[in-house]
Amino acid sequence: MEGIDAYLTSKEISPEIKKLLQDTKDYLLQGIFDVFDAKRYLTISFALLIQHGKQLNESEKQAVKSFKNRRFVKNIITIIVICLGTYLIIRFIR
């Protein structure tokens, strides 16, 4: 949520991306989205904007990267923990 607030106050972000971020923040506050839903919603929405020809400036590109990177880092950590846990379980069973 702090990341969304930081980008909402920026003057370099276009109105359509600000609306997207504000909608996401509202959904979080209303309890419609959890953090994972919000990141997924933003990632898909950014991808659709880019696919429909929206040219992003540097601040907008940074916003897209900041929401994407967190998800991938968490997924990598989760995969490592699952693999390590599976290895330890198999090792102790033998």
Coordinates of all heavy atoms in Angstrom, one line a residue:
M1 N 0.8 -1.2 0.0 CA 0.0 0.0 0.0 C 0.9 1.3 0.0 O 0.5 2.2 -0.6 CB -0.9 0.0 1.2 CG -1.9 1.1 1.3 SD -3.4 0.7 0.6 CE -4.3 0.4 2.1
E2 N 2.0 1.2 0.7 CA 2.9 2.3 0.7 C 3.4 2.6 -0.7 O 3.6 3.8 -1.1 CB 4.1 2.1 1.6 CG 3.7 1.9 3.1 CD 3.4 0.4 3.4 OE1 3.9 -0.5 2.6 OE2 2.7 0.2 4.3
G3 N 3.7 1.6 -1.5 CA 4.2 1.7 -2.8 C 3.1 2.4 -3.7 O 3.5 3.3 -4.5
I4 N 1.9 2.1 -3.5 CA 0.8 2.7 -4.3 C 0.7 4.2 -3.9 O 0.6 5.1 -4.8 CB -0.5 2.0 -4.0 CG1 -0.5 0.6 -4.6 CG2 -1.7 2.8 -4.6 CD1 -1.7 -0.2 -4.3
D5 N 0.8 4.5 -2.6 CA 0.7 5.9 -2.2 C 1.8 6.8 -2.8 O 1.6 7.9 -3.2 CB 0.7 6.0 -0.7 CG -0.6 5.5 0.0 OD1 -1.6 5.6 -0.7 OD2 -0.5 5.1 1.1
A6 N 3.0 6.2 -2.8 CA 4.2 6.9 -3.4 C 4.0 7.3 -4.8 O 4.3 8.4 -5.3 CB 5.4 6.1 -3.2
Y7 N 3.4 6.4 -5.6 CA 3.2 6.6 -7.0 C 2.0 7.5 -7.3 O 1.9 8.3 -8.2 CB 3.0 5.3 -7.8 CG 4.3 4.6 -7.8 CD1 4.5 3.4 -7.2 CD2 5.4 5.1 -8.5 CE1 5.7 2.7 -7.2 CE2 6.7 4.4 -8.6 CZ 6.8 3.2 -7.9 OH 8.0 2.5 -8.0
L8 N 1.0 7.5 -6.3 CA -0.2 8.4 -6.5 C 0.2 9.8 -6.3 O -0.5 10.7 -6.9 CB -1.3 8.0 -5.5 CG -2.1 6.7 -5.9 CD1 -3.0 6.4 -4.7 CD2 -2.9 7.0 -7.1
T9 N 1.2 10.1 -5.5 CA 1.6 11.5 -5.3 C 2.5 12.0 -6.3 O 2.8 13.2 -6.4 CB 2.2 11.7 -3.9 OG1 3.4 10.8 -3.8 CG2 1.2 11.3 -2.8
S10 N 3.1 11.2 -7.2 CA 4.0 11.6 -8.2 C 3.2 12.3 -9.3 O 2.2 11.9 -9.8 CB 4.7 10.4 -8.8 OG 5.5 10.7 -9.9
K11 N 3.9 13.4 -9.8 CA 3.3 14.2 -10.9 C 3.7 13.6 -12.3 O 3.1 14.0 -13.3 CB 3.7 15.6 -10.8 CG 3.2 16.3 -9.6 CD 3.6 17.7 -9.5 CE 3.3 18.2 -8.1 NZ 2.4 19.3 -8.1
E12 N 4.6 12.7 -12.3 CA 5.0 12.1 -13.6 C 4.2 10.9 -14.0 O 4.4 10.4 -15.1 CB 6.5 11.7 -13.4 CG 7.4 12.9 -13.1 CD 8.8 12.4 -12.8 OE1 9.1 11.2 -12.9 OE2 9.6 13.3 -12.5
I13 N 3.3 10.5 -13.2 CA 2.4 9.3 -13.5 C 1.2 9.8 -14.3 O 0.6 10.8 -13.9 CB 2.0 8.5 -12.3 CG1 3.3 8.1 -11.5 CG2 1.1 7.4 -12.6 CD1 4.1 7.0 -12.1
S14 N 0.8 9.2 -15.4 CA -0.3 9.6 -16.2 C -1.6 9.3 -15.4 O -1.7 8.5 -14.5 CB -0.3 8.8 -17.5 OG -0.6 7.4 -17.3
P15 N -2.7 10.1 -15.8 CA -4.0 10.0 -15.1 C -4.6 8.5 -15.2 O -5.2 8.1 -14.2 CB -4.9 11.0 -15.9 CG -3.9 11.9 -16.5 CD -2.7 11.2 -16.8
E16 N -4.4 7.8 -16.3 CA -5.0 6.5 -16.4 C -4.3 5.5 -15.5 O -4.9 4.6 -14.9 CB -5.0 6.0 -17.8 CG -3.7 5.8 -18.5 CD -3.8 5.5 -20.0 OE1 -4.9 5.1 -20.4 OE2 -2.8 5.6 -20.7
I17 N -3.0 5.7 -15.3 CA -2.3 4.8 -14.3 C -2.6 5.2 -12.9 O -2.7 4.3 -12.0 CB -0.7 4.8 -14.6 CG1 -0.5 4.1 -16.0 CG2 0.0 4.1 -13.5 CD1 0.8 3.8 -16.4
K18 N -2.7 6.5 -12.6 CA -3.1 6.9 -11.3 C -4.5 6.4 -10.9 O -4.7 6.0 -9.8 CB -3.2 8.5 -11.2 CG -1.8 9.1 -11.0 CD -1.9 10.5 -10.7 CE -0.5 11.1 -10.4 NZ -0.6 12.5 -10.1
K19 N -5.4 6.4 -11.9 CA -6.8 5.8 -11.7 C -6.7 4.3 -11.4 O -7.3 3.8 -10.4 CB -7.7 6.0 -12.9 CG -9.1 5.5 -12.6 CD -10.0 5.8 -13.7 CE -11.4 5.2 -13.5 NZ -11.7 4.4 -12.4
L20 N -5.8 3.6 -12.1 CA -5.6 2.2 -11.9 C -5.1 2.0 -10.4 O -5.6 1.1 -9.7 CB -4.7 1.6 -12.9 CG -4.3 0.2 -12.8 CD1 -5.5 -0.7 -13.1 CD2 -3.2 -0.1 -13.8
L21 N -4.1 2.8 -10.1 CA -3.5 2.6 -8.7 C -4.5 3.0 -7.6 O -4.6 2.3 -6.6 CB -2.3 3.5 -8.6 CG -1.1 3.1 -9.4 CD1 0.0 4.1 -9.4 CD2 -0.5 1.7 -9.0
Q22 N -5.3 4.0 -7.9 CA -6.3 4.5 -6.9 C -7.4 3.4 -6.7 O -7.8 3.1 -5.6 CB -6.9 5.8 -7.3 CG -7.9 6.3 -6.3 CD -7.2 6.6 -4.9 OE1 -6.2 7.3 -4.9 NE2 -7.8 6.2 -3.9
D23 N -7.8 2.8 -7.8 CA -8.8 1.7 -7.8 C -8.3 0.5 -7.0 O -9.0 0.0 -6.1 CB -9.2 1.2 -9.2 CG -10.0 2.3 -9.9 OD1 -10.5 3.2 -9.3 OD2 -10.2 2.1 -11.2
T24 N -7.0 0.2 -7.2 CA -6.4 -0.9 -6.5 C -6.3 -0.6 -5.0 O -6.7 -1.4 -4.2 CB -5.0 -1.2 -7.0 OG1 -5.0 -1.4 -8.4 CG2 -4.3 -2.4 -6.3
K25 N -6.0 0.6 -4.6 CA -5.9 1.0 -3.2 C -7.3 1.0 -2.6 O -7.5 0.5 -1.5 CB -5.4 2.4 -3.1 CG -5.2 2.9 -1.7 CD -4.7 4.3 -1.7 CE -4.7 4.9 -0.2 NZ -4.2 6.2 -0.2
D26 N -8.3 1.4 -3.3 CA -9.7 1.3 -2.8 C -10.1 -0.1 -2.6 O -10.8 -0.4 -1.6 CB -10.7 2.0 -3.8 CG -10.4 3.6 -3.8 OD1 -9.8 4.1 -2.9 OD2 -10.9 4.2 -4.8
Y27 N -9.8 -1.0 -3.5 CA -10.1 -2.4 -3.4 C -9.5 -3.0 -2.2 O -10.0 -3.8 -1.5 CB -9.8 -3.2 -4.6 CG -10.6 -2.8 -5.9 CD1 -10.0 -2.9 -7.1 CD2 -11.9 -2.4 -5.8 CE1 -10.7 -2.6 -8.3 CE2 -12.6 -2.1 -6.9 CZ -12.0 -2.2 -8.2 OH -12.7 -1.9 -9.3
L28 N -8.2 -2.6 -1.9 CA -7.5 -3.1 -0.7 C -8.2 -2.6 0.5 O -8.4 -3.4 1.5 CB -6.0 -2.6 -0.8 CG -5.1 -3.4 -1.7 CD1 -3.8 -2.7 -1.8 CD2 -4.8 -4.8 -1.1
L29 N -8.5 -1.3 0.6 CA -9.1 -0.8 1.8 C -10.5 -1.3 2.0 O -10.9 -1.5 3.2 CB -9.2 0.8 1.6 CG -7.9 1.5 1.7 CD1 -8.1 3.0 1.4 CD2 -7.2 1.3 3.0
Q30 N -11.3 -1.7 1.0 CA -12.6 -2.3 1.1 C -12.5 -3.7 1.5 O -13.5 -4.3 1.8 CB -13.4 -2.1 -0.1 CG -13.7 -0.6 -0.4 CD -14.4 -0.5 -1.8 OE1 -14.7 -1.4 -2.5 NE2 -14.6 0.8 -2.2
G31 N -11.4 -4.4 1.4 CA -11.2 -5.8 1.6 C -11.6 -6.7 0.5 O -11.7 -7.9 0.6
I32 N -11.8 -6.1 -0.7 CA -12.1 -6.9 -1.9 C -10.8 -7.6 -2.3 O -10.9 -8.8 -2.7 CB -12.6 -6.0 -3.0 CG1 -13.9 -5.3 -2.6 CG2 -12.8 -6.7 -4.3 CD1 -14.4 -4.3 -3.5
F33 N -9.7 -7.0 -2.3 CA -8.4 -7.6 -2.6 C -7.6 -7.8 -1.4 O -7.6 -7.0 -0.5 CB -7.6 -6.6 -3.5 CG -8.0 -6.6 -5.0 CD1 -7.4 -5.6 -5.8 CD2 -8.9 -7.4 -5.5 CE1 -7.8 -5.5 -7.1 CE2 -9.3 -7.4 -6.8 CZ -8.7 -6.4 -7.7
D34 N -6.7 -8.8 -1.4 CA -5.6 -8.9 -0.5 C -4.4 -8.5 -1.3 O -4.5 -8.1 -2.4 CB -5.5 -10.3 0.1 CG -5.2 -11.4 -1.0 OD1 -5.0 -11.1 -2.2 OD2 -5.1 -12.6 -0.6
V35 N -3.2 -8.5 -0.7 CA -2.0 -8.0 -1.3 C -1.7 -8.8 -2.6 O -1.3 -8.2 -3.6 CB -0.8 -8.1 -0.3 CG1 0.5 -7.6 -1.0 CG2 -1.1 -7.2 0.9
F36 N -1.9 -10.1 -2.6 CA -1.6 -10.9 -3.8 C -2.5 -10.6 -4.9 O -2.1 -10.5 -6.1 CB -1.6 -12.4 -3.4 CG -0.7 -12.8 -2.4 CD1 -1.1 -13.2 -1.1 CD2 0.7 -12.7 -2.6 CE1 -0.2 -13.6 -0.1 CE2 1.6 -13.1 -1.6 CZ 1.2 -13.5 -0.4
D37 N -3.8 -10.4 -4.6 CA -4.8 -10.0 -5.6 C -4.4 -8.7 -6.2 O -4.5 -8.5 -7.4 CB -6.2 -10.0 -5.1 CG -6.7 -11.3 -4.7 OD1 -6.3 -12.3 -5.2 OD2 -7.6 -11.3 -3.8
A38 N -4.0 -7.7 -5.4 CA -3.7 -6.4 -5.9 C -2.5 -6.4 -6.8 O -2.5 -5.8 -7.9 CB -3.4 -5.5 -4.7
K39 N -1.5 -7.2 -6.4 CA -0.3 -7.3 -7.3 C -0.6 -7.9 -8.6 O -0.2 -7.5 -9.7 CB 0.8 -8.0 -6.6 CG 1.5 -7.2 -5.5 CD 2.6 -8.0 -4.8 CE 3.1 -7.3 -3.7 NZ 4.2 -8.0 -3.0
R40 N -1.4 -9.0 -8.6 CA -1.8 -9.7 -9.8 C -2.7 -8.7 -10.7 O -2.5 -8.7 -11.9 CB -2.6 -10.9 -9.4 CG -2.8 -11.9 -10.5 CD -3.4 -13.2 -10.0 NE -4.2 -13.2 -8.8 CZ -3.8 -13.8 -7.6 NH1 -2.7 -14.4 -7.6 NH2 -4.6 -13.7 -6.5
Y41 N -3.6 -8.0 -10.1 CA -4.4 -7.1 -10.8 C -3.6 -6.0 -11.5 O -3.8 -5.7 -12.6 CB -5.5 -6.4 -9.8 CG -6.3 -5.4 -10.4 CD1 -7.4 -5.7 -11.2 CD2 -6.1 -4.0 -10.1 CE1 -8.2 -4.7 -11.8 CE2 -6.9 -3.0 -10.6 CZ -7.9 -3.3 -11.4 OH -8.7 -2.4 -11.9
L42 N -2.6 -5.4 -10.7 CA -1.8 -4.4 -11.3 C -0.9 -4.9 -12.4 O -0.8 -4.3 -13.5 CB -0.9 -3.7 -10.2 CG -1.6 -2.8 -9.3 CD1 -0.7 -2.4 -8.1 CD2 -2.2 -1.6 -10.0
T43 N -0.4 -6.1 -12.2 CA 0.5 -6.7 -13.2 C -0.3 -6.9 -14.5 O 0.2 -6.6 -15.6 CB 1.1 -8.0 -12.7 OG1 1.8 -7.7 -11.5 CG2 2.0 -8.6 -13.8
I44 N -1.5 -7.5 -14.4 CA -2.3 -7.7 -15.6 C -2.7 -6.4 -16.3 O -2.7 -6.3 -17.5 CB -3.5 -8.6 -15.2 CG1 -3.0 -10.0 -14.9 CG2 -4.5 -8.7 -16.4 CD1 -4.0 -10.9 -14.3
S45 N -3.1 -5.5 -15.4 CA -3.6 -4.2 -16.0 C -2.5 -3.4 -16.7 O -2.7 -2.9 -17.8 CB -4.2 -3.3 -14.9 OG -5.3 -3.9 -14.3
F46 N -1.3 -3.4 -16.1 CA -0.1 -2.8 -16.8 C 0.2 -3.5 -18.1 O 0.4 -2.9 -19.1 CB 1.1 -2.8 -15.9 CG 1.1 -1.8 -14.8 CD1 1.6 -2.2 -13.5 CD2 0.6 -0.6 -15.0 CE1 1.6 -1.3 -12.5 CE2 0.6 0.4 -13.9 CZ 1.1 0.0 -12.7
A47 N 0.1 -4.8 -18.1 CA 0.4 -5.6 -19.3 C -0.7 -5.3 -20.4 O -0.3 -5.1 -21.6 CB 0.4 -7.1 -19.1
L48 N -1.9 -5.1 -20.0 CA -3.0 -4.8 -21.0 C -2.8 -3.4 -21.5 O -3.0 -3.1 -22.7 CB -4.3 -4.9 -20.4 CG -4.8 -6.3 -20.1 CD1 -6.1 -6.3 -19.3 CD2 -5.0 -7.1 -21.4
L49 N -2.4 -2.4 -20.7 CA -2.1 -1.1 -21.2 C -1.0 -1.1 -22.2 O -1.1 -0.4 -23.2 CB -1.8 -0.2 -20.0 CG -2.9 0.3 -19.1 CD1 -2.4 1.1 -17.9 CD2 -3.9 1.2 -19.9
I50 N 0.1 -1.8 -21.9 CA 1.2 -1.8 -22.8 C 0.8 -2.5 -24.1 O 1.2 -2.1 -25.2 CB 2.4 -2.5 -22.1 CG1 2.9 -1.7 -21.0 CG2 3.5 -2.8 -23.1 CD1 3.9 -2.4 -20.0
Q51 N 0.0 -3.6 -24.0 CA -0.4 -4.3 -25.2 C -1.3 -3.4 -26.1 O -1.2 -3.6 -27.3 CB -1.2 -5.6 -24.8 CG -1.6 -6.4 -25.9 CD -2.3 -7.7 -25.5 OE1 -2.6 -7.8 -24.3 NE2 -2.6 -8.6 -26.4
H52 N -2.0 -2.5 -25.5 CA -2.9 -1.6 -26.3 C -2.2 -0.4 -26.7 O -2.8 0.6 -27.2 CB -4.2 -1.3 -25.5 CG -5.1 -2.5 -25.3 ND1 -5.8 -3.0 -26.4 CD2 -5.4 -3.2 -24.3 CE1 -6.5 -4.0 -26.0 NE2 -6.3 -4.2 -24.7
G53 N -0.9 -0.3 -26.6 CA -0.1 0.8 -27.2 C 0.3 1.9 -26.3 O 0.7 2.9 -26.7
K54 N 0.0 1.7 -25.0 CA 0.4 2.8 -24.0 C 1.9 2.9 -23.9 O 2.6 1.9 -23.7 CB -0.2 2.5 -22.7 CG 0.3 3.3 -21.5 CD -0.4 4.6 -21.5 CE 0.0 5.4 -20.2 NZ 0.4 6.7 -20.4
Q55 N 2.4 4.1 -24.1 CA 3.9 4.3 -24.0 C 4.1 4.8 -22.5 O 3.6 5.7 -22.1 CB 4.4 5.3 -25.0 CG 4.2 4.9 -26.4 CD 5.1 3.7 -26.7 OE1 6.2 3.6 -26.3 NE2 4.6 2.8 -27.5
L56 N 5.0 4.0 -21.8 CA 5.2 4.4 -20.4 C 6.5 5.3 -20.3 O 7.5 5.0 -21.0 CB 5.5 3.1 -19.6 CG 4.4 2.1 -19.6 CD1 4.8 0.9 -18.8 CD2 3.1 2.7 -19.0
N57 N 6.4 6.3 -19.4 CA 7.6 7.1 -19.2 C 8.4 6.4 -18.1 O 8.0 5.3 -17.6 CB 7.2 8.5 -18.8 CG 6.4 8.6 -17.5 OD1 6.6 7.7 -16.6 ND2 5.5 9.6 -17.4
E58 N 9.5 6.9 -17.7 CA 10.4 6.3 -16.8 C 9.8 6.0 -15.4 O 10.0 4.9 -14.9 CB 11.7 7.1 -16.7 CG 12.6 7.1 -17.9 CD 13.0 5.7 -18.3 OE1 13.4 4.8 -17.5 OE2 12.9 5.4 -19.5
S59 N 9.1 6.9 -14.9 CA 8.4 6.8 -13.6 C 7.4 5.6 -13.7 O 7.3 4.8 -12.7 CB 7.7 8.0 -13.2 OG 8.7 9.0 -13.0
E60 N 6.7 5.6 -14.8 CA 5.7 4.5 -14.9 C 6.3 3.1 -15.1 O 5.9 2.1 -14.5 CB 4.8 4.8 -16.1 CG 3.9 6.0 -15.8 CD 3.2 6.5 -17.1 OE1 3.6 6.2 -18.2 OE2 2.2 7.3 -16.9
K61 N 7.5 3.1 -15.8 CA 8.2 1.8 -15.9 C 8.7 1.4 -14.6 O 8.7 0.2 -14.3 CB 9.4 2.0 -16.9 CG 8.9 2.1 -18.4 CD 10.1 2.3 -19.3 CE 9.6 2.5 -20.7 NZ 10.8 2.8 -21.6
Q62 N 9.2 2.3 -13.8 CA 9.7 2.0 -12.5 C 8.5 1.4 -11.6 O 8.7 0.5 -10.8 CB 10.3 3.2 -11.8 CG 10.9 2.9 -10.4 CD 11.5 4.2 -9.8 OE1 11.4 5.2 -10.4 NE2 12.2 4.0 -8.7
A63 N 7.3 2.0 -11.7 CA 6.2 1.5 -11.0 C 5.9 0.0 -11.4 O 5.6 -0.8 -10.5 CB 5.0 2.4 -11.2
V64 N 5.9 -0.2 -12.7 CA 5.6 -1.6 -13.2 C 6.6 -2.5 -12.6 O 6.3 -3.6 -12.1 CB 5.6 -1.6 -14.7 CG1 5.5 -3.0 -15.2 CG2 4.4 -0.8 -15.3
K65 N 7.9 -2.2 -12.7 CA 9.0 -3.1 -12.2 C 8.8 -3.3 -10.7 O 9.1 -4.4 -10.2 CB 10.3 -2.5 -12.5 CG 10.7 -2.6 -14.0 CD 12.1 -2.0 -14.2 CE 12.4 -2.0 -15.7 NZ 13.7 -1.3 -15.9
S66 N 8.5 -2.3 -9.9 CA 8.4 -2.5 -8.5 C 7.3 -3.4 -8.1 O 7.5 -4.2 -7.1 CB 8.2 -1.1 -7.8 OG 6.9 -0.6 -8.0
F67 N 6.2 -3.5 -8.8 CA 5.1 -4.4 -8.4 C 5.4 -5.8 -9.0 O 5.0 -6.8 -8.4 CB 3.8 -3.9 -9.0 CG 3.3 -2.7 -8.2 CD1 3.2 -1.5 -8.8 CD2 2.9 -2.8 -6.9 CE1 2.8 -0.3 -8.2 CE2 2.5 -1.7 -6.2 CZ 2.4 -0.5 -6.8
K68 N 6.1 -5.9 -10.1 CA 6.5 -7.2 -10.6 C 7.6 -7.9 -9.8 O 7.5 -9.1 -9.5 CB 6.9 -7.1 -12.1 CG 5.8 -6.9 -13.0 CD 6.4 -6.9 -14.4 CE 5.3 -6.8 -15.5 NZ 5.8 -6.8 -16.8
N69 N 8.6 -7.2 -9.5 CA 9.8 -7.8 -8.8 C 9.4 -8.5 -7.5 O 9.9 -9.5 -7.2 CB 10.9 -6.8 -8.6 CG 11.5 -6.4 -9.9 OD1 11.4 -7.1 -10.9 ND2 12.2 -5.3 -10.0
R70 N 8.6 -7.8 -6.7 CA 8.3 -8.4 -5.4 C 7.6 -9.8 -5.5 O 7.9 -10.6 -4.7 CB 7.3 -7.4 -4.7 CG 8.0 -6.1 -4.3 CD 7.1 -5.2 -3.5 NE 7.7 -4.0 -3.3 CZ 7.0 -2.9 -3.1 NH1 5.7 -2.9 -3.1 NH2 7.6 -1.7 -2.9
R71 N 6.7 -9.9 -6.5 CA 6.0 -11.2 -6.6 C 7.0 -12.3 -7.0 O 6.9 -13.4 -6.5 CB 5.0 -11.0 -7.7 CG 4.1 -12.2 -7.8 CD 3.0 -12.0 -8.7 NE 3.3 -12.8 -9.9 CZ 2.9 -12.6 -11.1 NH1 2.2 -11.6 -11.4 NH2 3.2 -13.4 -12.1
F72 N 7.9 -12.0 -7.9 CA 8.9 -13.0 -8.4 C 9.8 -13.4 -7.3 O 10.2 -14.6 -7.1 CB 9.6 -12.6 -9.6 CG 8.7 -12.5 -10.8 CD1 8.6 -11.3 -11.5 CD2 8.0 -13.6 -11.3 CE1 7.8 -11.2 -12.6 CE2 7.1 -13.5 -12.4 CZ 7.0 -12.3 -13.1
V73 N 10.3 -12.5 -6.5 CA 11.2 -12.8 -5.4 C 10.5 -13.7 -4.4 O 11.1 -14.7 -3.9 CB 11.7 -11.5 -4.7 CG1 12.4 -11.8 -3.4 CG2 12.6 -10.7 -5.7
K74 N 9.3 -13.3 -4.1 CA 8.5 -14.2 -3.1 C 8.3 -15.6 -3.7 O 8.4 -16.6 -2.9 CB 7.2 -13.5 -2.8 CG 6.5 -14.3 -1.7 CD 5.3 -13.5 -1.2 CE 4.7 -14.4 -0.1 NZ 3.9 -13.7 0.8
N75 N 8.0 -15.7 -4.9 CA 7.8 -17.0 -5.6 C 9.0 -17.8 -5.5 O 9.0 -19.0 -5.3 CB 7.3 -16.9 -7.0 CG 5.8 -16.4 -7.1 OD1 5.1 -16.5 -6.1 ND2 5.4 -15.9 -8.2
I76 N 10.2 -17.2 -5.8 CA 11.5 -17.9 -5.8 C 11.8 -18.4 -4.4 O 12.2 -19.5 -4.2 CB 12.6 -17.0 -6.3 CG1 12.4 -16.8 -7.8 CG2 13.9 -17.6 -6.0 CD1 13.3 -15.8 -8.4
I77 N 11.5 -17.6 -3.4 CA 11.8 -17.9 -2.0 C 10.8 -19.1 -1.6 O 11.3 -20.1 -0.9 CB 11.6 -16.7 -1.0 CG1 12.7 -15.7 -1.3 CG2 11.6 -17.2 0.4 CD1 12.6 -14.4 -0.6
T78 N 9.6 -19.0 -2.0 CA 8.6 -20.1 -1.7 C 9.1 -21.4 -2.3 O 9.0 -22.5 -1.7 CB 7.2 -19.7 -2.2 OG1 6.8 -18.5 -1.6 CG2 6.2 -20.8 -1.8
I79 N 9.5 -21.4 -3.5 CA 10.0 -22.6 -4.2 C 11.2 -23.2 -3.5 O 11.3 -24.4 -3.3 CB 10.3 -22.3 -5.7 CG1 9.0 -22.0 -6.5 CG2 11.0 -23.5 -6.4 CD1 9.1 -21.5 -7.9
I80 N 12.1 -22.3 -3.1 CA 13.3 -22.8 -2.4 C 12.9 -23.5 -1.1 O 13.4 -24.5 -0.7 CB 14.3 -21.7 -2.2 CG1 14.9 -21.3 -3.6 CG2 15.4 -22.1 -1.2 CD1 15.7 -20.0 -3.5
V81 N 12.0 -22.8 -0.4 CA 11.6 -23.4 0.9 C 10.9 -24.7 0.7 O 11.1 -25.7 1.5 CB 10.7 -22.4 1.7 CG1 10.0 -23.0 2.9 CG2 11.5 -21.2 2.1
I82 N 10.1 -24.8 -0.3 CA 9.4 -26.1 -0.5 C 10.4 -27.2 -0.9 O 10.3 -28.3 -0.4 CB 8.3 -25.9 -1.6 CG1 7.1 -25.1 -1.1 CG2 7.8 -27.3 -2.2 CD1 6.1 -24.7 -2.2
C83 N 11.3 -26.9 -1.8 CA 12.3 -27.9 -2.2 C 13.2 -28.3 -1.0 O 13.4 -29.5 -0.8 CB 13.2 -27.3 -3.2 SG 12.4 -27.1 -4.8
L84 N 13.6 -27.4 -0.1 CA 14.4 -27.7 1.0 C 13.6 -28.5 2.0 O 14.1 -29.5 2.6 CB 14.9 -26.4 1.7 CG 15.8 -26.6 2.9 CD1 17.1 -27.3 2.5 CD2 16.1 -25.2 3.5
G85 N 12.3 -28.2 2.2 CA 11.5 -29.0 3.1 C 11.3 -30.4 2.6 O 11.3 -31.3 3.4
T86 N 11.0 -30.5 1.3 CA 10.9 -31.8 0.7 C 12.1 -32.7 0.9 O 12.1 -33.9 1.2 CB 10.5 -31.7 -0.8 OG1 9.3 -30.9 -0.9 CG2 10.2 -33.0 -1.4
Y87 N 13.3 -32.0 0.6 CA 14.5 -32.7 0.8 C 14.7 -33.2 2.2 O 15.1 -34.4 2.4 CB 15.7 -31.8 0.4 CG 17.1 -32.4 0.7 CD1 17.6 -33.4 0.0 CD2 17.8 -31.9 1.8 CE1 18.9 -33.9 0.3 CE2 19.0 -32.4 2.2 CZ 19.6 -33.4 1.4 OH 20.8 -33.9 1.8
L88 N 14.5 -32.4 3.2 CA 14.6 -32.8 4.6 C 13.7 -33.9 5.0 O 14.0 -34.8 5.7 CB 14.5 -31.6 5.5 CG 15.6 -30.5 5.4 CD1 15.2 -29.3 6.2 CD2 16.9 -31.1 5.8
I89 N 12.4 -33.8 4.5 CA 11.5 -34.9 4.8 C 11.9 -36.2 4.2 O 11.9 -37.3 4.9 CB 10.1 -34.5 4.3 CG1 9.5 -33.3 5.1 CG2 9.1 -35.7 4.3 CD1 8.2 -32.7 4.6
I90 N 12.3 -36.2 3.0 CA 12.8 -37.4 2.3 C 14.0 -38.0 3.0 O 14.2 -39.2 3.2 CB 13.0 -37.2 0.8 CG1 11.7 -36.9 0.1 CG2 13.8 -38.4 0.2 CD1 11.8 -36.5 -1.3
R91 N 14.9 -37.1 3.4 CA 16.1 -37.5 4.1 C 15.9 -38.2 5.4 O 16.5 -39.2 5.8 CB 17.1 -36.3 4.3 CG 18.4 -36.7 4.8 CD 19.4 -35.6 4.7 NE 20.6 -36.0 5.3 CZ 21.4 -35.3 6.0 NH1 21.1 -34.1 6.3 NH2 22.5 -35.8 6.5
F92 N 14.9 -37.6 6.2 CA 14.6 -38.2 7.5 C 13.8 -39.5 7.4 O 13.8 -40.3 8.3 CB 13.9 -37.2 8.4 CG 14.9 -36.1 8.9 CD1 14.7 -34.8 8.6 CD2 16.0 -36.5 9.7 CE1 15.6 -33.8 9.0 CE2 16.9 -35.5 10.2 CZ 16.7 -34.2 9.8
I93 N 13.0 -39.6 6.3 CA 12.2 -40.9 6.1 C 13.1 -42.1 5.9 O 12.9 -43.2 6.3 CB 11.2 -40.7 5.0 CG1 10.1 -39.7 5.5 CG2 10.5 -42.0 4.6 CD1 9.1 -39.3 4.4
R94 N 14.2 -41.8 5.1 CA 15.1 -42.9 4.8 C 15.8 -43.3 6.0 O 16.3 -44.0 6.6 CB 16.0 -42.5 3.7 CG 15.3 -42.4 2.4 CD 16.4 -42.0 1.3 NE 15.7 -41.9 0.0 CZ 16.2 -41.7 -1.1 NH1 17.5 -41.5 -1.1 NH2 15.6 -41.6 -2.2

